[in-house]
Amino acid sequence: MRKQWRWLILGLAVLLALVSGTLSRAGADPSVERFLKEMYAVRAQGLVTGKAADGLDRFYDTSTQSGRFALAHEDGRIQYMQAWAPARNLAVVEAETFVTNLRVKRSGDKATVSLISRTRLGYRYNGNPELDQMGVGSWHWLQLVRSGDSWKVQKEFYLDAMGSEWTEPYRPKKASLVPAEEAAVAENVADEAEAVQNVVGELAVPTGGGRLDRQGVVAYAEEYCGAAWGCGNNSDYNERYQSYRNLGGDCANFASQTLVEGGKLKPDWTWRHDKAGSACWVNAQSFVRYMLGSGRATLLAKGTYPKVAGALGKLQPGDIVGYQVKGTITHVSIITGKDHGGVPIVAAHTADRYRNPWDLGWDKGTVYVLLHLRD
């Protein structure tokens, strides 16, 4: 299944490359638009309730393998959220998805669609009345087939900021002794989720004359984080920089430009963006290696969730989280603050994220690399 998903993502990258930068409401079809708005609304509600209120399967052509796969992905991400949220001592209480940049090409009973979905999620920590809000954004390509008075999805490709049918979040064992490797996180505490929440503490933005402008990092990151709900700049990337969204991913490019434009760090001959970015500017693994090798950053912790939890409280806005899968760092995000549970939140590109809890969408086997940028 993972190999199949990689091929689907590759197909998405090729298809989006054809339409990126030119999406509009051109060719919008009222019946298609109604169908899509209803489907995305039901999918969003499923993230709150744990199930699709009106039944997800009615939106998909399950007579085809690709239709069944698309349905399984949506069902899987709902299941992921229902596992992740209680494991983090919180509940998702609100969700809504906005469909934008809709473009439809219809031919008889078939329709090809490209669009952007911008999802807002509201969540609360147990015992805390304050509402936190986060946003995710994705570029979608869909193939629809006419079904009676409506439509069904035969194919859907997109880069997802949340989990999927194979992703399983790290879930601490409640009502049990804390493992020895988590002693630094919480001694003699049975509920590890609450222990992690308590140890994180404040992520106050430092002020003063350091070389890294952490306040500037946060302002830039949240202005240019892209299609995610909550981002500024009309939900678009900074046009002064080439986008690598369809060329392997834009996460390191975004982190690099955020540290330079917002954080006021100076590029050098290795880490630079002229007409095109250098390897350590645009590649996640090279970016992390450069930050550590150049001395611009220090390593706070590396390991799976329970191994790094004790270091979360040391993260500050402007610091970096790397995500390693099968020995390779495939993604990086940038810390922008904390939520009301004291948990670090991040911004990122590909898929686009606004104020997401730092581990949302990642698997229990993910190895996290926590970097502290020098002031």
Side-chain angles (χ1 to χ4, degrees), residues 38-248:
E38 182 182 6
M39 180 183 70
Y40 283 105
V42 171
R43 279 162 47 163
Q45 190 60 27
L47 298 173
V48 177
T49 64
K51 59 182 180 181
D54 298 317
L56 265 181
D57 55 349
R58 67 189 177 92
F59 297 104
Y60 294 86
D61 179 6
T62 56
S63 67
T64 65
Q65 182 178 0
S66 58
R68 292 191 297 271
F69 179 83
L71 173 60
H73 176 77
E74 298 311 315
D75 182 64
R77 75 200 297 260
I78 290 173
Q79 292 181 32
Y80 175 91
M81 287 296 289
Q82 296 307 304
W84 175 84
R88 302 300 176 263
N89 201 30
L90 61 86
V92 178
V93 296
E94 299 176 357
E96 58 181 337
T97 296
F98 305 91
V99 175
T100 66
N101 298 70
L102 178 63
R103 187 174 184 179
V104 179
K105 182 179 180 181
R106 182 173 174 181
S107 177
D109 289 338
K110 299 277 189 177
T112 301
V113 178
S114 59
L115 60 87
I116 293 175
S117 70
R118 307 179 68 232
T119 299
R120 179 188 68 85
L121 297 169
Y123 64 99
R124 289 190 178 94
Y125 285 92
N126 296 342
N128 191 330
E130 298 289 346
L131 180 71
D132 283 291
Q133 297 187 91
M134 60 174 159
V136 295
S138 313
W139 285 260
H140 298 243
W141 179 89
L142 303 96
Q143 183 173 297
L144 309 180
V145 61
R146 189 77 178 177
S147 177
D149 294 332
S150 188
W151 297 85
K152 287 185 182 292
V153 175
Q154 287 189 322
K155 296 179 182 179
E156 182 177 15
F157 305 145
Y158 67 104
L159 297 173
D160 195 359
M162 289 182 277
S164 67
E165 73 275 17
W166 67 75
T167 314
E168 183 178 347
Y170 170 73
R171 288 184 276 190
K173 297 177 181 178
K174 295 188 177 182
S176 63
L177 295 178
V178 180
E181 66 267 25
E182 297 187 41
V185 183
E187 293 182 1
N188 303 317
V189 179
D191 191 331
E192 300 166 49
E194 291 183 1
V196 171
Q197 181 180 337
N198 291 336
V199 81
V200 170
E202 294 294 317
L203 279 174
V205 178
T207 58
R211 288 179 295 171
L212 176 65
D213 182 350
R214 295 186 184 272
Q215 291 176 315
V217 164
V218 175
Y220 184 93
E222 296 194 341
E223 177 71 10
Y224 293 105
C225 52
W229 176 90
C231 298
N233 194 42
N234 295 316
S235 304
D236 203 358
Y237 293 178
N238 189 338
E239 64 181 9
R240 296 196 300 274
Y241 290 87
Q242 178 181 347
S243 169
Y244 295 88
R245 186 179 69 241
N246 302 320
L247 299 172

